[in-house]
């Protein structure tokens, strides 16, 4: 199989990730933060090591990193935990349904309203588009680090500066950027970062996290046992407990730590450059193919993550993907849970075929993809 | 290590569970319900097989089983998704914080009020205690299948009959019963069943599910991408998609399927009998030890799950657990995230030491525990 659906989930995982997940399930399958026995304490300690790795990578304090099942849960916690009745939210025109459906729900429930700031290839314009929409009741700006369909990056630091200037909380959906491009919560003025563990961080599926800057308070949307303040009817007010009710996915979390080690040993920038060189090749080949329609300029570093969307001939995107699947090439077609981005790029009627390499994708695989496509 | 903290998480897992988790991570690490390629479809199919196993075990329809990170998330979805402003909820006096903190949050937010129905060893009295609290705005009854601290079972079927008679939705927290004692959603009149995958079902940590009877509708508390109806701003209204936004923990879910196979091959009733014989032995030995305080009658089948709470000498429960830990015996002390149950059994000031065997616990291990305790 040639797997080019890494923006959904990276595959394969590094061997160390598989091994650590397996070992954790065998040796560290104990509830952390509860039992006082050695094995439970060891599990807590190993999980805290992963918090520390995440904190180090994105410049948070380790206790402010809480684990979730995926990035979607983290975004729901961040958005709903931040917004009070009558609030106003600004999101970008490239948000995933993990943000768009959430703000729509808040609107449908009469809790908060939202506006959509259009993306521009000019970073200053994008930031200005956010700033222009700020109202007196704007309490939250939510922005994806990069489109999961077209790969274009949003100027997170500039939008963060706007948010800071207006004292508005800033939430970043790092689904396509965490582990790949530099993110520094302090420099980028990020109040809350939400990310999956199973994409560019190379951890197991079923992992994600929410990380908050010091001093950020959040209302809870999920309460339950935390092994702390157990006699108290209210969810604890300290992190990570406040956002981690119930049993954690130990094995997945510990595998995520191994994923981060993998990235650190290869160098995130090397991985990013490798993947961009592949999308650059794919872009050139698709540009030269008169049957392929592309929707963005060629990727530049720091402006794009390695994701390309295209369509082929007059085929529906699903047809192209199905024909590729017959040739054992795995790509995803359709809307990629991001209708806003398709509206913006004019592909709302058709969807697109999406290509995304990983650290493990080879040039040869991309060549086979290009050759196969030509025969369809 | 002698592990007697199985009510937190069963350990070890059956070999087939470890193997299937590992294989799934290696071979089935693809987003289900999204890609049209063979490997993604295969992952969806394997995950649906697990839905079917759960549906078969508890008498639901397979599409009505949605996966969550743990039982706590499932309970939050069930309770908050069911209750509208001005509603009234009845819970039992033995609920875990996964229920108690949730209803307290609803109360603190001015959304719903709740009352607590006292448990009685007389099942009819317990059911009557629930019925007595029903008011015109009672919209939900939530009840644990068994106390996670004292092992006493609630008469779920009888409480379900009360709920049905009054047309009130009935949610069961099966954290300590799913996989161990018979649960039949139809016969028990259960509208929504919430359960962990990592306890008596022997799956990986990081798994749980919510299963709903046909026709039950739920508001959502988490929205996001589902790979379905992607152009729609609203969460899909069909299951399981409605309750499964974002990427699932494939490996954990598939391991849960292997856990259910393990139970089915041994026979849940055989496992239950084995564990009860061990707690029966432990109970007799603790009763004969003048330094041990017990809080319940001896376990009878269908009235207790295999959990014993005790205290030793004038030690704080944590001290007893710490001394046992020095002897490599793993038990949990304190409140077990269930202060209500401690209030009911008069141990709110002290907490308890909790013992819970699993299918893998041996008589010999229990004997060593008893011998060790005597030396403390």
């Amino acid at each position: 199989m040639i797997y080019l659906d890494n923006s959904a989930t990276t595959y394969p995982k590094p061997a160390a990730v598989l091994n650590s997940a397996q070992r954790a399930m065998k040796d560290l399958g104990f509830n952390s933060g509860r039992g006082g026995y050695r094995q439970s304490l060891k599990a807590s300690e190993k999980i805290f090591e992963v918090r520390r790795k995440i904190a180090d990578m994105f410049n948070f304090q380790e206790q402010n990193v809480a684990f979730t099942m995926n990035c979607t849960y983290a975004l729901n916690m961040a958005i709903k935990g931040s917004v009070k009745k009558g609030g106003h939210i600004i999101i970008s025109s490239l948000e995933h349904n993990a943000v768009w459906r959430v703000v729509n729900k808040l609107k449908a429930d009469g809790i908060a309203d939202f506006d959509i700031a259009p993306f521009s290839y000019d970073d200053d314009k994008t930031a200005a588009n956010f700033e222009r929409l700020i109202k007196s009741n704007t309490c939250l700006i939510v922005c994806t680090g990069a489109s999961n369909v077209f790969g274009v990056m949003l100027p997170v630091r500039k939008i963060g500066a706007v948010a800071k200037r207006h004292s508005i909380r800033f939430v970043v959906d790092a689904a396509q950027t965490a582990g790949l491009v530099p993110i520094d919560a302090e420099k980028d003025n990020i109040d809350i970062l939400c990310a999956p563990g199973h994409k560019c961080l190379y951890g197991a599926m079923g992992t994600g996290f929410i990380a908050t800057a010091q001093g950020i308070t959040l209302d809870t949307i999920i309460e339950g046992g935390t092994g702390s303040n157990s006699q108290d009817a209210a969810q604890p007010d300290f992190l990570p407990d406040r956002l981690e009710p119930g049993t954690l996915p130990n094995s997945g979390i510990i595998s995520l730590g191994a994923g981060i080690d993998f990235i650190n040993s290869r160098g995130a920038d090397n991985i990013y450059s490798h993947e961009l060189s592949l999308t650059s090749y794919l872009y050139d080949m698709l540009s030269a193919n008169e049957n392929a329609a592309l929707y963005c300029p060629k990727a530049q570093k720091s402006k794009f993550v390695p994701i390309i969307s295209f369509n082929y001939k007059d085929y529906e995107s699903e047809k192209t993907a199905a024909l590729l699947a017959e040739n054992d090439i795995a790509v995803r077609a359709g809307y990629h849970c991001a209708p806003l981005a398709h509206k913006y790029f004019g592909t709302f009627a058709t969807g697109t075929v999406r290509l995304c390499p990983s650290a493990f994708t080879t040039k040869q695989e991309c060549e086979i993809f290009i050759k196969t496509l030509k025969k369809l």
Side-chain angles (χ1 to χ4, degrees), chain A:
Chain A
M1 171 185 48
I2 293 174
Y3 182 75
L4 293 168
D5 193 19
N6 290 286
S7 32
T9 288
T10 46
Y11 181 90
K13 301 300 180 191
V17 169
L18 294 168
N19 291 339
S20 71
Q22 191 190 351
R23 273 203 312 276
M25 203 165 160
K26 198 164 167 291
D27 302 331
L28 295 164
F30 308 98
N31 281 51
S32 60
R34 269 80 166 174
Y37 45 95
R38 184 170 49 80
Q39 295 81 357
S40 165
L41 299 172
K42 185 80 182 170
S44 300
E45 190 188 302
K46 287 288 175 190
I47 288 170
F48 250 92
E49 278 178 21
V50 184
R51 292 190 212 281
R52 194 173 308 130
K53 285 173 188 177
I54 292 170
D56 288 348
M57 184 173 259
F58 304 112
N59 199 5
F60 287 96
Q61 293 189 24
E62 66 196 39
Q63 75 277 11
N64 295 343
V65 175
F67 293 106
T68 58
M69 189 166 91
N70 53 43
C71 188
T72 301
Y73 276 78
L75 284 162
N76 274 265
M77 287 176 169
I79 297 169
K80 292 176 181 164
S82 295
V83 173
K84 289 192 174 54
K85 198 168 165 70
H88 174 253
I89 307 165
I90 306 172
I91 69 172
S92 88
S93 64
L94 303 180
E95 296 307 303
H96 187 275
N97 276 342
V99 169
W100 191 52
R101 281 183 171 168
V102 178
V103 296
N104 269 288
K105 179 69 161 65
L106 289 170
K107 186 171 179 169
D109 288 348
I111 294 170
D113 201 358
F114 70 92
D115 278 302
I116 298 173
F119 163 80
S120 164
Y121 287 110
D122 178 334
D123 287 346
D124 291 322
K125 273 195 188 159
T126 303
N129 288 343
F130 274 87
E131 191 155 27
R132 193 174 304 124
L133 292 168
I134 293 173
K135 304 199 283 189
S136 61
N137 62 336
T138 302
C139 57
L140 193 65
I141 291 175
V142 189
C143 183
T144 186
S147 165
N148 69 309
V149 187
F150 298 95
V152 292
M153 286 174 69
L154 280 284
V156 163
R157 187 163 296 179
K158 291 189 174 182
I159 299 166
V162 168
K164 193 178 184 185
R165 202 154 58 239
H166 294 268
S167 302
I168 295 168
R169 185 174 288 188
F170 184 40
V171 172
V172 170
D173 171 3
Q176 301 300 336
T177 48
L180 193 66
V181 299
I183 298 173
D184 182 316
E186 208 173 306
K187 288 185 185 158
D188 296 346
N189 294 307
I190 297 170
D191 292 307
I192 308 179
L193 186 76
C194 300
H198 61 101
K199 296 187 179 183
C200 308
L201 289 169
Y202 291 91
M205 296 170 84
T207 58
F209 66 84
I210 173 170
T212 60
Q214 196 65 5
I216 291 291
T217 57
L218 272 174
D219 196 8
T220 55
I221 58 169
I222 309 280
E223 301 85 32
T226 54
S228 52
N229 293 9
S230 289
Q231 293 165 293
D232 196 338
Q235 195 69 0
D237 60 3
F238 52 86
L239 291 169
D241 298 38
R242 183 167 178 78
L243 301 178
E244 277 182 359
T247 298
L248 289 173
N250 286 18
S251 158
I253 291 169
I254 290 163
S255 81
L256 170 53
I260 294 173
D261 292 344
F262 165 80
I263 294 163
N264 289 338
S265 72
R266 284 220 179 175
D269 194 61
N270 293 329
I271 295 173
Y272 181 39
S273 296
H274 165 73
E275 292 176 13
L276 273 187
S277 78
L278 297 179
T279 51
S280 182
Y281 165 78
L282 289 168
Y283 190 94
D284 288 344
M285 293 298 111
L286 289 169
S287 292
N289 184 329
E290 61 183 12
N291 289 313
L294 288 157
Y295 304 96
C296 294
K298 188 171 171 179
Q300 295 166 262
K301 206 166 173 180
S302 307
K303 297 284 280 178
F304 280 82
V305 295
I307 295 173
I308 290 179
S309 254
F310 76 101
N311 272 301
Y312 199 66
K313 294 186 176 169
D314 59 350
Y315 300 169
E316 293 199 345
S317 60
E318 285 83 358
K319 180 180 173 179
T320 307
L323 292 170
L324 288 166
E326 284 173 16
N327 290 275
D328 214 15
I329 296 174
V331 301
R332 193 166 148 203
Y335 296 98
H336 318 283
C337 300
L340 284 190
H342 287 284
K343 271 192 185 157
Y344 184 83
F345 281 98
T347 51
F348 193 68
T350 57
T352 58
V353 182
R354 183 178 69 175
L355 307 174
C356 181
S358 84
F360 297 107
T361 309
T362 64
K363 177 83 182 289
Q364 196 193 7
E365 289 178 314
C366 295
E367 288 167 354
I368 294 171
F369 162 79
I370 290 294
K371 273 186 204 158
T372 307
L373 185 72
K374 278 186 188 154
K375 291 184 205 151
L376 304 186

